[in-house]
Amino acid sequence: MSIEIDRTDRLLIRALQDNARLTSGELAQRVHLSQSPSWRRIKRLEDEGVITGYHAALSRRAIGFGVLAFVMVGIDHQNEESSRHFQEAVCAIPEVVMFHGISGPEDFLLVVVARDLDAYSDLLLTRLHRLPGVRQVHTHFSLQEFKGQLAGLPVE
């Protein structure tokens, strides 16, 4: 179910994406509303699930993650129980920062960060290959990032 989002809502969302630390007064100024109506709109967007949280954007390289890998995983078979075990196991790996079920020859796409290639190799051999039901794993390394923002980077 989608909700109606008007121009003012879009301006609020854009402002929060640019800087989630803006005060309610600063947000209201940016969208030419008084503070109360602006706050009510933001609250509605949160309650409706449009805004799902507020996060600090981290530089993966600055905190030591030089490798970004796209890992395509095929599993033996998918039933409710085996899929749930696989999903729980993947979600428990902090280096997996995104995880999607996909269409095509593979079943899942994982976006993985690692300190270096040795760390990725270790993760691949000791964790990813040992995930429940894994049939095949294909890794594609990012060589150059043109646009991207990752949330949920592991911070030790």
Side-chain angles (χ1 to χ4, degrees), residues 21-129:
R21 296 182 69 164
L22 292 171
T23 67
S24 56
E26 291 168 328
L27 281 167
Q29 261 187 323
R30 289 192 183 204
V31 299
H32 310 291
L33 287 176
S34 63
Q35 200 166 342
S36 292
S38 174
W39 180 86
R40 281 194 298 273
R41 281 176 175 264
I42 292 167
K43 180 75 173 120
R44 179 181 62 85
L45 292 167
E46 291 170 348
D47 292 344
E48 295 287 341
V50 174
I51 297 173
T52 60
Y54 299 89
H55 312 278
L58 304 177
S59 164
R60 70 177 168 84
R61 287 186 178 92
I63 61 172
F65 293 103
V67 171
L68 177 68
F70 301 92
V71 183
M72 313 294 283
V73 179
I75 61 174
D76 287 329
H77 59 281
Q78 288 192 47
N79 61 41
E80 188 174 337
E81 186 176 346
S82 64
S83 289
R84 185 174 38 80
H85 289 305
F86 178 83
Q87 291 166 15
E88 289 170 357
V90 171
C91 289
I93 301 171
E95 294 87 355
V96 176
V97 296
M98 292 180 75
F99 174 36
H100 293 268
I102 59 171
S103 63
E106 284 88 7
D107 302 300
F108 298 96
L109 169 67
L110 288 60
V111 178
V112 177
V113 295
R115 299 212 176 275
D116 53 32
L117 287 176
D118 289 335
Y120 177 77
S121 178
D122 183 58
L123 179 71
L124 179 66
L125 296 173
T126 62
R127 305 280 311 265
L128 299 179
H129 275 261

